Amino acid sequence: MLAKLQTLEQNSLVQISVLTSEASLIDLRNAILGKNGSLTELLKGVKDLSDEDKKTIGKAINECKIRMTAAFEAQLAVIKNRLIADRLANEFEDVTTPVSEDTGNHLHPITRTLMKVEDSFKRMGFDCYESNEVTTEYWNFDSLNIPKTHPARDMQDTFWLEGTGNVLATQTSSMQNIIMKSKGAPIKAIISGRVFRNEDIDATHENTFYQVEGMVIDRDITLANLKYTLRTMLSDIFGREVSIRMRPGYFPFVEPGVEVDFSCPFCSGTGCKICKKSGWIEFMGAGLIHPNVLREWGIDPDEYTGFAFGFGLNRLVMIEYSIPDMRYFQNPNLAFLKQF
Ligand code: DAH
């Protein structure tokens, strides 16, 4: 019986060592150590032996069982490790390998410039959000200090969605209230997205265009913070230092309100075609957030102040690439798009 046991162990160890799949290993284990396995059968025969043999052979079988169990475990570990190594070798993707062929695809200039704008603001600690395209009359107007009868409503030719009180957002400022209510002060946020106005379309007007809104609320915020922020972003975009100029402007949700111009990055202020010989490019609306608006958000204007600004992204791209006509952006004209 001992000889039988020895042969069984030797054969089994060889068989175990050549198996490469978990399933076949389990099958073999059952065939040897299972209820009716060959080793179990040997063990069953022990009861018919003499007391003397029972001791020695029973012990030998049990020791063999321990060694076989260990051999199964060890081979299982080998199989599993090999599986992991194979997966690592086959599924490995070197993400640093340069893309070898030009796919011909590229981002729309609006997207490209928006990414640059957001990168610049992110470096200054802003969080970026997308604006809603359909919004409510309250968010688009009332919450921004523009009640129903306010003449400022006429400044934006609005697409009203009949019977719902909803509108197509005419300005990304419509998101100020939403972001503020969910995040609370202090805050540094950039909100970008499509806005819609019932405009007659020409080279400088579209009914659908992109805006970028900024808002900062914290203690002791002044126009100096606004000026620094805009100068940093615009200098990043044009790759050279630009200066900022502010003129008084009227927007119901800021006080004081300003119109912001920046020095022409193409002629450095000496006057060229792009800045219409003035040295300055008129660019955006901004100001310190009106106390009424802060109150509407539940913020105490004696504790916090803030600035906000909003500009047309299409216009920034037009200036950046000297694009003469705003209609190109909405037009699937490949000759235009392929230039970027
Ligand atoms: N929403 C304004 C517009 O579409 C632009 C604007 C002006 C945004 C002043 C602001 C601001 O945040 O403070 O004309």
Side-chain angles (χ1 to χ4, degrees):
M1 196 163 192
L2 275 179
K4 233 181 176 178
L5 182 65
Q6 214 172 17
T7 319
L8 175 70
E9 178 167 359
Q10 275 169 1
N11 288 347
S12 304
L13 289 179
V14 173
Q15 274 179 292
I16 292 171
S17 69
V18 296
L19 289 182
T20 52
S21 86
E22 197 175 334
S24 54
L25 196 66
I26 289 171
D27 285 348
L28 182 64
R29 186 190 194 133
N30 288 337
I32 299 169
L33 303 176
K35 228 158 108 199
N36 300 316
S38 39
L39 193 73
T40 318
E41 289 301 327
L42 279 184
L43 203 55
K44 283 179 193 163
V46 170
K47 66 176 187 321
D48 304 325
L49 298 174
S50 68
D51 282 354
E52 186 63 17
D53 284 351
K54 257 186 201 157
K55 251 192 201 154
T56 47
I57 296 183
K59 191 170 170 232
I61 295 179
N62 275 328
E63 282 171 359
C64 172
K65 193 173 171 184
I66 291 170
R67 283 193 297 276
M68 301 263 262
T69 307
F72 275 118
E73 294 301 324
Q75 186 63 11
L76 192 64
V78 168
I79 292 174
K80 283 191 171 160
N81 284 341
R82 197 173 298 149
L83 220 67
I84 293 172
D86 280 356
R87 279 191 63 186
L88 282 177
N90 294 330
E91 294 176 14
F92 176 73
E93 181 114 23
D94 183 357
V95 291
T96 62
T97 311
V99 178
S100 54
E101 62 188 277
D102 179 2
T103 59
N105 301 324
H106 56 85
L107 297 172
H108 192 279
I110 292 269
T111 309
R112 242 162 72 152
T113 299
L114 177 60
M115 286 163 85
K116 285 198 274 181
V117 168
E118 287 189 336
D119 277 350
S120 176
F121 281 119
K122 278 184 203 161
R123 283 196 292 276
M124 290 188 269
F126 282 76
D127 289 325
C128 297
Y129 302 88
E130 260 178 51
S131 104
N132 294 339
E133 298 187 348
V134 176
T135 190
T136 63
E137 183 179 356
Y138 169 74
W139 284 327
N140 201 78
F141 294 119
D142 301 80
S143 73
L144 292 166
N145 210 23
I146 315 175
K148 253 196 181 56
T149 52
H150 200 291
R153 287 211 180 189
D154 294 339
M155 283 158 53
Q156 300 182 355
D157 295 314
T158 310
F159 288 113
W160 294 90
L161 302 180
E162 270 174 30
T164 60
N166 289 344
V167 296
L168 292 187
T170 61
Q171 49 184 347
T172 43
S173 308
S174 59
M175 289 298 291
Q176 286 190 10
N177 193 17
I178 297 172
I179 303 273
M180 241 346 272
K181 284 229 166 102
S182 70
K183 302 284 166 191
I187 194 169
K188 286 168 95 172
I190 292 298
I191 309 135
S192 58
R194 279 202 298 191
V195 294
F196 310 87
R197 293 187 196 173
N198 188 10
E199 297 275 0
D200 286 336
I201 298 172
D202 61 27
T204 53
H205 294 88
E206 256 289 7
N207 54 26
T208 302
F209 56 101
Y210 289 79
Q211 280 191 333
V212 176
E213 187 85 10
M215 119 173 128
V216 169
I217 300 173
D218 209 331
R219 295 191 163 82
D220 304 322
I221 294 295
T222 68
L223 285 180
N225 300 112
L226 170 69
K227 193 169 181 180
Y228 172 84
T229 305
L230 296 179
R231 195 180 67 202
T232 304
M233 184 274 289
L234 287 165
S235 300
D236 275 354
I237 296 297
F238 291 103
R240 68 193 63 177
E241 280 295 311
V242 300
S243 311
I244 297 291
R245 177 173 88 170
M246 292 179 184
R247 296 171 285 113
Y250 177 69
F251 303 95
F253 37 95
V254 279
E255 177 56 39
V258 291
E259 299 274 357
V260 178
D261 309 336
F262 64 94
S263 59
C264 179
F266 301 100
C267 63
S268 303
T270 52
C272 66
K273 224 170 99 186
I274 291 169
C275 59
K276 300 195 196 98
K277 305 240 178 290
S278 74
W280 292 95
I281 294 181
E282 293 181 14
F283 190 52
M284 72 174 104
L288 293 182
I289 298 174
H290 198 292
N292 285 354
V293 175
L294 288 172
R295 270 188 221 107
E296 182 70 22
W297 299 337
I299 291 175
D300 179 359
D302 292 327
E303 190 183 355
Y304 283 109
T305 47
F307 67 70
F309 60 84
F311 63 85
L313 187 58
N314 303 49
R315 189 159 147 64
L316 181 61
V317 181
M318 287 170 81
I319 298 164
E320 199 182 350
Y321 297 103
S322 300
I323 297 168
D325 197 316
M326 198 184 263
R327 286 169 289 199
Y328 288 135
F329 294 120
Q330 294 266 99
N331 191 331
N333 177 347
L334 288 183
F336 167 72
L337 292 171
K338 274 184 175 164
Q339 297 175 87
F340 298 92

Coordinates of all heavy atoms in Angstrom, one line a residue, residues 156 170-173 176 197 211 213-214 251 253-254 258 284-287 308-311, ligand 1:
Q156 N -31.7 92.9 -24.1 CA -31.4 91.5 -24.6 C -32.7 90.9 -25.2 O -33.7 90.6 -24.6 CB -31.0 90.6 -23.5 CG -29.7 91.2 -22.8 CD -29.2 90.3 -21.7 OE1 -29.8 89.4 -21.3 NE2 -28.0 90.7 -21.2
T170 N -30.1 84.2 -22.1 CA -29.5 85.3 -23.0 C -28.1 85.7 -22.5 O -27.4 86.4 -23.2 CB -30.4 86.6 -22.9 OG1 -30.4 87.0 -21.5 CG2 -31.8 86.3 -23.4
Q171 N -27.8 85.2 -21.3 CA -26.5 85.6 -20.8 C -26.0 84.5 -19.8 O -26.8 83.9 -19.1 CB -26.5 87.0 -20.1 CG -27.7 87.1 -19.1 CD -27.8 88.5 -18.5 OE1 -26.9 89.3 -18.6 NE2 -28.9 88.8 -17.8
T172 N -24.7 84.3 -19.7 CA -24.2 83.3 -18.7 C -24.4 83.9 -17.3 O -24.3 83.1 -16.4 CB -22.7 82.9 -19.0 OG1 -22.0 84.1 -19.3 CG2 -22.6 82.0 -20.1
S173 N -24.6 85.2 -17.2 CA -24.9 85.7 -15.9 C -26.1 85.0 -15.2 O -26.2 85.0 -14.0 CB -25.2 87.2 -16.0 OG -24.3 87.9 -16.7
Q176 N -25.2 82.8 -12.3 CA -24.6 83.3 -11.1 C -25.3 82.9 -9.9 O -24.8 82.4 -8.9 CB -24.5 84.9 -11.1 CG -23.5 85.5 -12.1 CD -23.4 87.0 -11.8 OE1 -23.9 87.5 -10.9 NE2 -22.7 87.6 -12.7
R197 N -29.9 85.0 -28.5 CA -30.7 86.3 -28.5 C -31.3 86.4 -29.9 O -30.7 85.9 -30.9 CB -29.8 87.5 -28.3 CG -29.3 87.5 -26.8 CD -28.5 88.7 -26.5 NE -27.8 88.5 -25.3 CZ -26.9 89.3 -24.8 NH1 -26.7 90.5 -25.4 NH2 -26.3 89.0 -23.7
Q211 N -20.6 82.7 -24.3 CA -20.1 83.7 -23.3 C -19.3 83.0 -22.3 O -19.4 81.8 -22.0 CB -21.3 84.4 -22.7 CG -21.9 85.5 -23.5 CD -22.9 86.3 -22.7 OE1 -23.5 85.9 -21.7 NE2 -23.0 87.6 -23.1
E213 N -18.4 83.7 -18.2 CA -18.8 84.6 -17.1 C -17.8 84.3 -16.0 O -17.3 83.1 -15.8 CB -20.2 84.1 -16.6 CG -20.8 84.9 -15.6 CD -21.5 86.1 -16.1 OE1 -21.7 86.2 -17.4 OE2 -21.9 87.0 -15.4
G214 N -17.5 85.3 -15.2 CA -16.6 85.1 -14.1 C -17.2 85.7 -12.8 O -17.9 86.7 -12.9
F251 N -24.8 97.9 -16.0 CA -25.4 96.6 -16.0 C -26.1 96.5 -14.6 O -25.5 96.8 -13.6 CB -24.4 95.5 -16.1 CG -23.5 95.6 -17.3 CD1 -22.3 96.2 -17.3 CD2 -24.0 95.0 -18.5 CE1 -21.5 96.3 -18.4 CE2 -23.2 95.1 -19.7 CZ -22.0 95.8 -19.6
F253 N -26.9 94.4 -12.5 CA -26.5 93.5 -11.4 C -25.1 93.9 -10.8 O -24.6 93.1 -10.0 CB -26.5 92.1 -11.9 CG -26.1 91.8 -13.3 CD1 -24.8 91.5 -13.6 CD2 -27.1 92.0 -14.3 CE1 -24.5 91.3 -15.0 CE2 -26.7 91.8 -15.7 CZ -25.4 91.5 -16.0
V254 N -24.5 95.0 -11.3 CA -23.2 95.4 -10.7 C -23.3 96.9 -10.4 O -24.0 97.7 -11.0 CB -22.0 95.1 -11.7 CG1 -21.6 93.7 -11.6 CG2 -22.4 95.5 -13.1
V258 N -18.7 98.5 -15.2 CA -17.7 99.0 -16.0 C -17.7 98.3 -17.4 O -18.1 97.1 -17.5 CB -16.2 98.8 -15.4 CG1 -16.1 99.7 -14.2 CG2 -16.0 97.4 -15.0
M284 N -15.5 93.7 -22.7 CA -16.5 93.0 -21.9 C -17.2 94.0 -20.9 O -16.7 95.1 -20.6 CB -15.9 91.9 -21.1 CG -15.0 92.2 -20.0 SD -14.4 90.7 -19.1 CE -12.8 90.5 -19.7
G285 N -18.2 93.4 -20.3 CA -18.9 94.1 -19.2 C -18.5 93.5 -17.9 O -18.2 92.3 -17.8
A286 N -18.4 94.3 -16.8 CA -18.0 93.8 -15.5 C -18.4 94.8 -14.4 O -19.1 95.8 -14.7 CB -16.5 93.6 -15.5
G287 N -18.0 94.5 -13.2 CA -18.3 95.4 -12.1 C -18.3 94.7 -10.8 O -17.9 93.5 -10.7
A308 N -17.9 90.6 -10.9 CA -18.4 89.7 -11.9 C -18.0 90.3 -13.3 O -17.8 91.5 -13.4 CB -19.9 89.5 -11.8
F309 N -17.9 89.4 -14.3 CA -17.6 89.9 -15.6 C -18.2 88.9 -16.6 O -18.5 87.7 -16.3 CB -16.1 90.1 -15.9 CG -15.3 88.8 -15.7 CD1 -15.2 87.9 -16.8 CD2 -14.7 88.6 -14.5 CE1 -14.4 86.8 -16.6 CE2 -13.9 87.4 -14.4 CZ -13.8 86.5 -15.4
G310 N -18.4 89.4 -17.8 CA -18.9 88.5 -18.8 C -18.4 88.9 -20.2 O -18.4 90.1 -20.5
F311 N -17.9 88.0 -21.0 CA -17.5 88.4 -22.3 C -17.9 87.4 -23.4 O -18.2 86.2 -23.1 CB -16.0 88.7 -22.4 CG -15.1 87.5 -22.1 CD1 -14.7 86.6 -23.1 CD2 -14.6 87.3 -20.8 CE1 -13.9 85.5 -22.9 CE2 -13.7 86.2 -20.6 CZ -13.4 85.3 -21.6
Ligands
DAH1 N1 -24.3 89.5 -19.0 C1 -23.8 90.7 -19.6 C2 -24.2 90.7 -21.1 O1 -24.5 89.6 -21.6 C3 -22.3 90.8 -19.5 C4 -21.9 91.1 -18.1 C5 -21.8 92.4 -17.7 C6 -21.6 90.1 -17.2 C7 -21.4 92.8 -16.4 C8 -21.3 90.4 -15.9 C9 -21.2 91.7 -15.5 O2 -21.1 89.5 -15.0 O3 -20.8 92.0 -14.2 O4 -24.1 91.7 -21.7

